[in-house]
Amino acid sequence: MNKIRKYESKDKENLRKICIETSGMPTGTETERKFLYLMFNDYYSEVEPENLFVAVNDEDEAVGYILCAEDFDRYVSVFKKTYLPEIRRLGIKYYVMALGELGIHKLFAKKYKAHLHIDILSECQGKGTGTALMNALKSHLKAKGINSLMLSCGMGNKLAIRFYKKNNFRLHRNIMGSCIMVCEF
């Protein structure tokens, strides 16, 4: 199993690479890559790096990560001001996708203020890395008085859904092709 540690600024580019490689479109266009960075990576490493844990190999290179926004209202306020305008410049398709993602989370944010994203390189999956990342984040949040999390993933992503259920998430709702998974701890 890989070592888990807190995020360091030197990890940012590796996290971006992992975000792309695990996205399902690793050979996407520069615009698609920029959208993924803005939507699923940069806010967390730039605004809430204290809520980001990294799995590293023996050379201390990131091979996976878990990141979290601990308060949806704060997240959406900063995201709309700083990141959404950049996404809008990428094109209407990306803007609508971003608004959809925000809208889905907003439906459940009163009860589940914190949300997460987790990405692990395929060669490091199935070895306990994801569970170790999840445990590190949950312990960190619990120490801060936060005791619930939510996330969304594609309804067809059976491996991810099984992983989340193994880590005490439950299916809360299916909406617009996404599974909303929640966990209380």
Side-chain angles (χ1 to χ4, degrees), residues 89-107:
R89 285 190 282 279
L90 296 176
I92 192 69
K93 170 178 116 175
Y94 300 104
Y95 184 69
V96 169
M97 288 168 56
L99 290 176
E101 182 80 11
L102 292 174
I104 288 172
H105 284 258
K106 184 179 176 86
L107 293 173

Side-chain angles (χ1 to χ4, degrees), residues 4-145:
I4 307 301
R5 65 165 169 75
K6 295 286 284 180
Y7 169 80
E8 299 172 10
S9 59
K10 70 176 185 172
D11 298 319
K12 185 170 184 168
E13 286 309 311
N14 271 347
L15 270 56
R16 284 176 145 200
K17 289 176 187 174
I18 294 166
C19 179
I20 297 302
E21 190 167 323
T22 59
S23 71
M25 55 180 176
T27 58
T29 66
E30 183 59 36
T31 301
E32 289 168 333
R33 288 191 297 276
K34 177 103 172 153
F35 170 71
L36 291 171
Y37 299 154
L38 292 167
M39 193 70 214
F40 300 111
N41 204 284
D42 289 358
Y43 165 87
Y44 308 92
S45 63
E46 294 170 1
V47 180
E48 295 192 53
E50 69 278 7
N51 296 322
L52 204 163
F53 293 86
V54 180
V56 296
N57 61 20
D58 291 337
E59 290 77 39
D60 199 42
E61 300 166 328
V63 296
Y65 62 85
I66 191 166
L67 43 78
C68 172
E70 65 183 59
D71 182 281
F72 182 79
D73 293 334
R74 175 180 173 226
Y75 163 77
V76 84
S77 173
V78 173
F79 191 85
K80 281 184 173 182
K81 185 172 125 187
T82 306
Y83 299 92
L84 198 56
E86 287 189 56
I87 290 172
R88 176 63 182 100
R89 285 190 282 279
L90 296 176
I92 192 69
K93 170 178 116 175
Y94 300 104
Y95 184 69
V96 169
M97 288 168 56
L99 290 176
E101 182 80 11
L102 292 174
I104 288 172
H105 284 258
K106 184 179 176 86
L107 293 173
F108 310 103
K110 287 226 185 289
K111 185 169 182 177
Y112 304 100
K113 287 193 169 287
H115 71 271
L116 72 89
H117 297 286
I118 184 171
D119 288 310
I120 302 166
L121 294 175
S122 59
E123 62 267 20
C124 298
Q125 293 177 10
K127 299 176 182 176
T129 302
T131 296
L133 285 166
M134 193 69 75
N135 289 339
L137 178 63
K138 286 179 184 178
S139 292
H140 169 75
L141 293 175
K142 196 170 188 175
K144 294 175 95 172

Side-chain angles (χ1 to χ4, degrees), residues 161-174:
I161 293 167
R162 188 167 59 236
F163 166 76
Y164 296 129
K165 285 181 176 180
K166 178 184 153 205
N167 282 278
N168 300 315
F169 281 77
R170 65 179 170 77
L171 177 61
H172 186 58
R173 181 126 357 119
N174 287 330

